[in-house]
């Protein structure tokens, strides 16, 4: 049963992956086994994912990240929240981020 | 936000098309020859020094230098590092270097004979996988044939044990053969066994056209040359499973673009890969040790070597009339093994047509219907037209 993303909690990159920025792409490289389905699989984020990723620093609750992005993109909190929760849920399901409390 | 929504995370098999929106990083792959030493002494090997060679060992870069270099490579965007040798596992600090590469977010291609795989190492590969199948060279299907190649008593048992340990831990590996006098009769057995142990129907590749010593320490060259198969034998082996290989040769010629002209390097695209020898010298590729194509990394950064030195090497031109008249005009470029590394090992130059590889390529071309017996490829005025004509004839 996968855990659900909670806006009140703090999330940060997992030590099970190495996250690299190469040529403007965020590349997520599994470090331990069981992250990808295939032996040579790497992961990248789409444009929306990239914009959110840089703020997932393991220090602020997610709600603060949503507010910051809403201000920056001049968009309603609800739309931003949908993307932030969507991305983090994918990352959490893949063990690429961890709940830091 | 106005950008695209789900899925936010995209899987990309590394190294395949579509990884980069831009041209890609300055360095995609780094080949590291961790040592020239090896615990085997294979009859055909173009690299190996004895595992206990103290002088070679003393000159090898320590782990700290490799870790520094890997850090530089990561900054250049490198995602794949190949660790090879010699036998890379003769180095006691192999694990340290391996883990450093993985923690920098690189995939590791390991080329090994598997004789030195320990339970501890197999567990490490299980827990921190290389993200690439380990590539294991196989020198025979029985102790007698295997050790006729490796000249190392006990190496067959050690290899089987090492492979077993990888298998026990579920570490993906592929096997690669070598067509040598003692192993030639075992090709079918190797293929059937490979399918069984790897669970993959893909036939293992087999080294067939052996290079002379890349250090040009020539004493062993007559032995290696004596193991080489001729062009007709090469064609016969390639045809073991039907005409697919021969059809592919025609395809190579059709797709290989025009002749080389005076260009020396038509391989390895810019921003592709670089190689480093055990002593910290950057080479254009693993076998090419001609002094004009090697730079000492102690004297400069990897970035400078990759973005300054290698492009200058890549731009080098030939003025050798023999090369210009033959290879420069030859339409078998896509088939022939001729390249500066082969010319270096064979003759100590960058651009002497290598008669052995020339002969093999001509035999392939005759088999593919691209040349008549006795015809010289460089004398064909319009190679493109020749390939198209043969393909049309076959299609009709
Ligand atoms: S195992 Fe590989 S490196 Fe070692 S001697 Fe044989 S071919 Fe050379
Ligand atoms: S077949 Fe001969 S002439 Fe043609 S590229 Fe090879 S070595 Fe050169």
């Amino acid at each position: 049963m996968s855990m659900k993303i909670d806006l009140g909690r703090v999330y940060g990159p997992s030590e099970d992956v190495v996250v690299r920025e190469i040529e403007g792409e965020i590349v997520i490289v599994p470090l331990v086994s069981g992250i990808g389905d295939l032996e040579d699989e790497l992961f990248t984020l789409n444009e929306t994912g990239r914009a959110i990723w840089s703020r997932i620093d393991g220090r602020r609750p997610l709600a603060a990240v949503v507010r910051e992005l809403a201000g920056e993109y001049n968009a309603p909190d609800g739309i931003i929240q949908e993307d932030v929760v969507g991305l983090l849920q994918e990352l959490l399901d893949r063990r690429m981020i961890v709940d830091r409390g | 936000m106005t950008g695209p929504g789900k899925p936010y995370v995209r899987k990309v098999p590394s190294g395949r098309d579509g990884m980069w929106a831009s041209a890609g990083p300055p360095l995609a792959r780094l080949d590291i020859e961790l040592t020239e030493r090896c615990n085997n002494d294979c009859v055909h090997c173009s690299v190996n020094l004895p595992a206990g060679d103290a002088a070679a060992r003393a000159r090898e870069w320590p782990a700290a230098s490799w870790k520094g270099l890997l850090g530089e490579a990561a900054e250049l965007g490198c995602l794949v590092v190949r660790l090879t040798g010699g036998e890379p596992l003769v180095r006691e600090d192999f694990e340290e270097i391996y883990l450093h590469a993985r923690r920098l977010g690189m995939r590791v291609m390991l080329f090994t004979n598997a004789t030195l795989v320990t339970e501890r190492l197999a567990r490490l590969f299980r827990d921190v996988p290389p993200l690439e199948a380990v590539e294991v060279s196989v020198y025979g299907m029985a102790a007698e044939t295997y050790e006729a190649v490796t000249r190392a008593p006990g190496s067959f048992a050690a290899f089987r044990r090492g492979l077993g340990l990888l298998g026990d831990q579920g570490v993906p590996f592929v096997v690669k053969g070598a067509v040598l006098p003692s192993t030639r009769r075992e090709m079918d057995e190797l293929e059937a066994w490979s399918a069984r142990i790897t669970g993959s129907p893909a036939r293992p590749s087999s080294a067939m056209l052996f290079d002379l010593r890349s250090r040009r320490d020539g004493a062993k060259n007559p032995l290696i040359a004596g193991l080489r198969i001729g062009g007709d034998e090469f064609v016969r082996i390639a045809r073991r499973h039907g005409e697919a290989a021969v059809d592919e040769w025609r395809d190579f010629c059709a797709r290989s673009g025009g002749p080389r002209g005076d260009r020396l390097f038509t391989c390895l695209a810019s921003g592709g890969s670089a190689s480093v020898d055990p002593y910290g010298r950057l080479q254009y590729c693993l076998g090419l040790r001609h002094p004009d194509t090697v730079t000492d990394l102690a004297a400069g950064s990897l970035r400078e070597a990759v973005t300054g030195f290698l492009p200058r090497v890549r731009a080098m031109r030939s003025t050798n009339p023999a090369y210009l008249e033959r290879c420069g005009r030859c339409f078998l470029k896509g088939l022939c093994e001729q390249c500066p590394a082969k010319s270096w090992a064979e003759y100590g130059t960058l651009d002497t047509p290598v008669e052995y590889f020339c002969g093999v390529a001509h035999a392939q071309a005759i088999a593919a219907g691209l040349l008549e017996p006795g015809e010289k490829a460089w004398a064909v005025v319009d190679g493109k037209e020749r390939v198209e004509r043969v393909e049309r004839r076959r299609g009709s």
Side-chain angles (χ1 to χ4, degrees), chain B residues 260 326-327 330 332-333 336 338 353-354 357-358 361-362 377-378:
Chain B
R260 290 182 170 96
R326 287 173 55 176
C327 306
C330 180
L332 302 183
K333 183 179 89 190
C336 182
Q338 169 73 28
V354 178
F357 296 119
C358 195
H362 275 74
W378 58 88

Side-chain angles (χ1 to χ4, degrees), chain B residues 70-107:
Chain B
L70 287 165
E72 284 186 73
E75 276 171 29
L76 292 169
C78 178
L79 267 171
V80 186
V81 62
R82 170 159 59 158
L83 299 180
T84 181
E87 171 50 53
L89 300 184
V90 300
R91 285 191 61 130
E92 287 100 10
D93 51 9
F94 173 83
E95 266 187 48
E96 185 183 349
I97 296 165
Y98 170 78
L99 269 174
H100 194 77
R102 289 294 291 108
R103 288 190 182 121
L104 285 168
M106 293 175 180
R107 292 163 49 204

Side-chain angles (χ1 to χ4, degrees), chain B residues 38 40-42 44-45 48 86-87 113 139:
Chain B
C38 183
N40 285 344
D41 182 21
C42 294
H44 62 291
C45 186
N48 71 319
E87 171 50 53
N113 61 33
Y139 301 116

